[in-house]
Amino acid sequence: MRIVLGVTGGIAAYKAALLLRLMTEEGHEVHVVPTESALNFVGKATWEALSGQPVYTDTFEAVDEVNHVLQGRKADLVLIAPATANALAKAANGLAEDLIGNILLTATVPVVMAPAMHTEMWQNAATQANVVTLRSRGVHIIEPAVGRLTGIDTGKGRLPDPEDIWQQTKDIIHQAHHGSLLRDKHVVVSAGGTREALDPVRFLGNRSSGKQGVALAQAAARAGAQVTLITGSMEVAAPQHDHITVVPIESTRDLLGAVLEYSREKDALIMAAAVADFRPATATDQKIKKDDEHSAPTIILEQTEDVLHTVIQQRAAGQDLPGYVIGFAAETGDANTTPLEYGRAKLQRKGCEMLVVNEVGADKVFGQDENDVTIVFADGRDDLTVQGTKDVVAASIIQELADALN
Ligand code: CTP
C-alpha cells in the first residue's frame, strides 16, 4: 500500500516514528507529511531516514508535481497520528493551510485519525463536535487511550500504542475493501447436517456443528452479498443479518429441493453442509417398537441424492444455476492416499469450481472453532492452505470467490 502518514504537532509525534517502522517493515510505501509544529518534536531527517522518502510539509514545495493533489490521489490510505485538537478542528472545517490539510481535501481513500491530547481538550465540546462531524463524513477516528499523559497527569487522551493503531487501521481498511467485494452478488450457502428419518422419532444424523457454513454466510454478507443460508441441524444459531435469509431444511431430499430452488439465477453456491450419503430405504410412519423376543430391526440403507453433483449436472444441461460452485470435502486419507489426493480426485468427480479439503479424524474439525484446510481449484490455480478460526477460513474462501466472480 501507499500510505500518507500525517504527523501533527504533539509530544506523541515520537510514537509515530514507531508506527512508521511497523508499516515499512510490512512492505508499505509511506510518505510522511508532518506539520511545521510537528517538526518541533521530531525532525525531518528522522522521517526521511525511516521512510526512505522525501518529506514535505508545505503546499509550496514540489509544486511542479502538484504534490498537494497528487499525494491524496495516489495514496491508498491517509493516517494522521497523532492528531492534535487543532488538527481535528482544521480537518472538520476543511482548512487547507498546509500540505496535510490539502491532502485531506483531495483524498478519496480511507482516512484514519488517531487523536492525542490532554483529557480536558478531548472532552471539550468543540473537540467532540469536530469528532462527530468528521465521523459523519466517513473519517475513522481511533479512540484515544486512557493513561499517563505528557506530565504527571493521567486520563483519556493518550495516543494508543503504535501496534494498536496499526491493527485498528488494518481492520478499517479490510472492512472498507471487503465491504464491497461481493456487492450486487447473491450467494447461497448450505450449512449444518442433514437428518434422515427412520421413523417419526428417530433419524440418522451427523456431527456437523454448522459453524463453518454460518461463518461463510456472515463473511459473504460482510462482503456486501445477499445471502440465502440453507440450514440443516446446527449447534449454533442461524445469524440474524439484513443480508441473510435463512431457509431451514431437514433431509437430503429437502436440501436438494431448496438448493435447486434458491440457487436459480444466483452467482455462487457454497455447499458447506454435511450431507448424509445414505438414508433408511423405508421410513415408517409409526414408531418402531421393541418386541418380546429381544430382536432388533435390520435397517436397509439406500444412497441419497448427491446435491452438489446434481447442481453441476443440471447447470451443464442448461439450467440457470450458479456459475461458481464450492464444495467441501472431509477426508481422513488412508495407507495409500493422502486426504489432499482424495480431495483433488473429488474436485474432478464433482465438477465444481473450488473444493475446500478438510482433514478429519477423531479429534479434528467437527464442532471445533479452529480449522486447517487446503483449497483446490478446477482452473489450475495453485492450492491455497489456510489455518485459523472458521472465520479466517471463511474470509479466505470469500476472498477467492470474489476474485473469481469479479
Ligand atoms: N455433498 C452433496 N450431497 C451428498 C453428499 C455430499 O451435495 N449426498 C456435498 C457436500 O456438501 C460437500 C461435497 O459434496 O460439499 C463433498 O462431500 P463429502 O461428504 O466429502 O463427499 P461425498 O460425496 O460423500 O464422497 P465420499 O463419500 O466418497 O467421501
Side-chain angles (χ1 to χ4, degrees):
M1 271 197 300
R2 187 180 163 119
I3 301 169
V4 168
L5 174 62
V7 183
T8 66
I11 179 66
Y14 76 94
K15 286 193 189 170
L18 301 172
L19 182 59
L20 169 59
R21 277 294 278 277
L22 290 176
M23 298 190 288
T24 54
E25 273 168 12
E26 286 185 18
H28 301 292
E29 179 183 324
V30 186
H31 293 261
V32 183
V33 182
T35 57
E36 270 304 326
S37 56
L39 294 177
N40 292 325
F41 296 95
V42 181
K44 206 170 184 173
T46 303
W47 299 122
E48 288 193 332
L50 288 178
S51 68
Q53 303 289 340
V55 168
Y56 306 107
T57 60
D58 193 73
T59 322
F60 302 103
E61 291 171 294
V63 174
D64 54 334
E65 296 169 22
V66 205
N67 206 23
H68 69 289
V69 179
L70 203 70
Q71 290 285 8
R73 279 211 191 130
K74 278 171 102 180
D76 301 298
L77 162 74
V78 177
L79 170 60
I80 312 226
T84 58
N86 192 38
L88 295 176
K90 290 210 286 191
N93 286 288
L95 297 190
E97 288 178 344
D98 48 17
L99 184 55
I100 195 66
N102 279 275
I103 289 172
L104 283 175
L105 289 178
T106 50
T108 52
V109 295
V111 175
V112 180
M113 298 180 88
M117 62 199 74
H118 278 280
T119 309
E120 293 80 358
M121 293 174 90
W122 172 250
Q123 287 172 343
N124 187 283
T127 304
Q128 287 304 309
N130 290 331
V131 168
V132 169
T133 302
L134 289 166
R135 281 190 169 142
S136 74
R137 292 184 192 143
V139 174
H140 303 274
I141 308 278
I142 293 179
E143 280 295 311
V146 177
R148 179 96 187 265
L149 300 170
T150 320
I152 51 163
D153 46 349
T154 60
K156 187 165 183 176
R158 199 179 136 88
L159 189 72
D161 289 337
E163 287 80 9
D164 196 11
I165 295 178
W166 185 223
Q167 190 52 52
Q168 288 196 49
T169 303
K170 285 196 284 193
D171 290 348
I172 290 163
I173 297 166
H174 184 88
Q175 189 57 41
H177 179 57
H178 288 248
S180 59
L181 270 182
L182 288 177
R183 186 157 297 154
D184 303 328
K185 299 283 188 260
H186 195 125
V187 178
V188 178
V189 181
S190 70
T194 59
R195 289 178 168 182
E196 307 301 329
L198 196 54
D199 68 17
V201 292
R202 305 183 180 95
F203 59 81
L204 294 183
N206 62 63
R207 293 185 200 276
S208 173
S209 67
K211 286 179 185 169
Q212 185 66 75
V214 166
L216 279 158
Q218 286 170 320
R222 270 200 298 275
Q226 289 296 329
V227 180
T228 304
L229 175 62
I230 304 175
T231 56
S233 81
M234 306 201 297
E235 262 172 37
V236 292
Q240 298 199 334
H241 190 291
D242 286 354
H243 284 202
I244 303 178
T245 308
V246 179
V247 178
I249 56 95
E250 189 171 296
S251 66
T252 302
R253 229 183 243 122
D254 300 341
L255 178 67
L256 178 66
V259 166
L260 290 176
E261 180 182 342
Y262 291 97
S263 299
R264 206 155 292 282
E265 297 174 13
K266 302 303 186 291
D267 301 287
L269 167 66
I270 307 179
M271 283 293 298
V275 191
D277 289 325
F278 308 102
R279 71 178 148 238
T282 47
T284 60
D285 291 341
Q286 290 89 37
K287 187 181 169 195
I288 303 170
K289 301 291 282 179
K290 278 188 294 204
D291 61 18
D292 296 333
E293 276 101 60
H294 298 285
S295 66
T298 301
I299 300 165
I300 310 279
L301 301 177
E302 64 179 14
Q303 274 200 17
T304 56
E305 301 80 6
D306 189 319
V307 179
L308 182 60
H309 196 56
T310 308
V311 169
I312 301 291
Q313 280 177 321
Q314 294 205 3
R315 185 179 74 179
Q319 301 275 358
D320 192 354
L321 289 162
Y324 210 89
V325 176
I326 302 176
F328 273 72
E331 302 290 347
T332 56
D334 55 35
N336 304 318
T337 315
T338 64
L340 194 53
E341 285 165 345
Y342 273 127
R344 288 210 186 88
K346 191 171 284 180
L347 174 72
Q348 287 225 318
R349 200 169 66 239
K350 296 257 179 183
C352 53
E353 280 62 45
M354 187 199 289
L355 192 78
V356 183
V357 186
N358 254 319
E359 192 179 338
V360 292
D363 58 337
K364 284 188 175 162
V365 178
F366 278 114
Q368 302 203 345
D369 292 327
E370 291 279 323
N371 219 345
D372 182 350
V373 304
T374 304
I375 305 176
V376 292
F377 302 90
D379 67 3
R381 260 187 289 170
D382 287 346
D383 296 352
L384 182 72
T385 303
V386 188
Q387 287 172 339
T389 61
K390 291 188 174 179
D391 284 327
V392 169
V393 170
S396 302
I397 293 169
I398 294 303
Q399 175 71 57
E400 294 302 318
L401 172 63
D403 287 351
L405 290 183
N406 298 320

